[in-house]
Amino acid sequence: WYRAMDEHIIKILKMLKRKNKNKNLKILDAGCGTGGFTKKIEEFGQIYAVDINKTALNFSRNKKLKNLINASVTSLPFPNNYFDVVLSLDVIYHKDIHDDQVALTEMHRVLKQKGNLILRVPAFEILRGDHDIIVQTRHRYTSEELKNKMNKAGFFIKKITYLNMLLSVILILKRTIQKIKKSRNP
C-alpha cells in the first residue's frame, strides 16, 4: 500500500520537475514524521521538513536530513509564497490537528502562486477500523468535503481522486467483519 502510494507521488514530483525545466524544486514536507519519505525525495530539490513530534524529528536527523523544523502544520514558520511544492501525506486527519482548515490555509499561504499541493488523507468513515485507532485518526474525508475545504483555503484544484479503490472493497468487507465480531464480543 505505502510503497504504491510513494511511487505515485514520486511520479508526480518527476512530472513537476520536468514541467519546471528540471530545475530543483523547493519542497515542504508538512508533517514529515520519521523522514522516510523525505529521504526518498531529496533528489527533487531543496527539501524542508516540519513535524510537531520531536521524537519523530530525531529519527529524521538520524537519516542525515537537513532543514528539519519542529513546528505544526497549523503554524508554518516560512514566508508567504516560498515553496514550489507542499506535500502533506497522512497528516491533517490526525487527532493532534484540531483544525484541518487552518492547516490547509497555512499550506496555501507558503505555496507559490503556481505551486502544487500534494495531499493524502484517509477516505470514507465506513472504512474506519482498528488501524485508525493506532494511528490516531480524527477524521476520514470524502472528496467533496476535502474539495470544499481546499477551495475555502484558496486552492485551485487540478485533480482530486480516490486511489486504490479496488482495495476499498476488501477493506469494507474486513471492517464489517471486525464490527460484527466486536458487537458479539464486547
Side-chain angles (χ1 to χ4, degrees):
W1 167 267
Y2 287 106
R3 189 176 2 203
M5 298 302 270
D6 287 357
E7 288 172 8
H8 180 75
I9 291 164
I10 287 170
K11 188 186 300 184
I12 293 170
L13 288 172
K14 285 179 180 176
M15 186 254 328
L16 291 174
K17 189 164 182 175
R18 277 192 309 272
K19 188 176 170 184
N20 200 40
K21 298 178 177 134
N22 287 321
K23 293 179 188 167
N24 280 342
L25 300 169
K26 191 177 285 188
I27 300 172
L28 172 63
D29 189 349
C32 66
T34 60
F37 190 71
T38 311
K39 189 74 179 166
K40 290 180 183 180
I41 63 170
E42 285 181 308
E43 69 184 89
F44 294 102
Q46 186 177 14
I47 314 297
Y48 292 80
V50 301
D51 204 282
I52 199 163
N53 186 311
K54 290 180 182 179
T55 303
L57 284 175
N58 286 335
F59 281 102
S60 294
R61 283 185 187 89
N62 290 339
K63 292 178 174 82
K64 308 289 187 239
L65 293 169
K66 300 175 185 172
N67 303 318
L68 298 169
I69 300 166
N70 182 225
S72 171
V73 295
T74 59
S75 182
L76 295 169
F78 302 102
N80 296 350
N81 307 308
Y82 195 69
F83 294 101
D84 299 302
V85 179
V86 173
L87 295 171
S88 183
L89 309 178
D90 301 317
V91 175
I92 68 166
Y93 75 90
H94 194 271
K95 76 166 184 72
D96 288 338
I97 305 300
H98 303 292
D99 192 335
D100 52 8
Q101 190 66 59
V102 170
L104 289 168
T105 300
E106 270 295 277
M107 291 175 203
H108 184 268
R109 180 186 67 75
V110 301
L111 196 58
K112 291 179 181 176
Q113 188 173 5
K114 292 189 178 187
N116 290 274
L117 171 68
I118 301 172
L119 180 70
R120 183 174 68 206
V121 295
F124 304 120
E125 283 297 329
I126 194 170
L127 296 177
R128 181 176 289 275
D130 293 338
H131 181 74
D132 291 291
I133 295 166
I134 294 166
V135 298
Q136 302 178 344
T137 300
R138 174 189 47 78
H139 186 66
R140 287 178 158 266
Y141 298 82
T142 65
S143 64
E144 192 62 30
E145 174 189 17
L146 193 58
K147 187 186 305 183
N148 290 336
K149 286 180 177 284
M150 291 179 71
N151 284 331
K152 187 175 178 184
F155 286 102
F156 168 76
I157 300 168
K158 292 179 183 175
K159 182 178 181 179
I160 189 166
T161 184
Y162 297 109
L163 294 176
N164 293 336
M165 286 304 292
L166 183 59
L167 292 176
S168 296
V169 175
I170 297 165
L171 248 156
I172 289 171
L173 290 171
K174 181 181 178 193
R175 298 292 196 246
T176 303
I177 292 167
Q178 285 173 339
K179 288 175 185 174
I180 291 169
K181 284 181 179 179
K182 279 186 180 180
S183 69
R184 290 183 181 165
N185 303 318

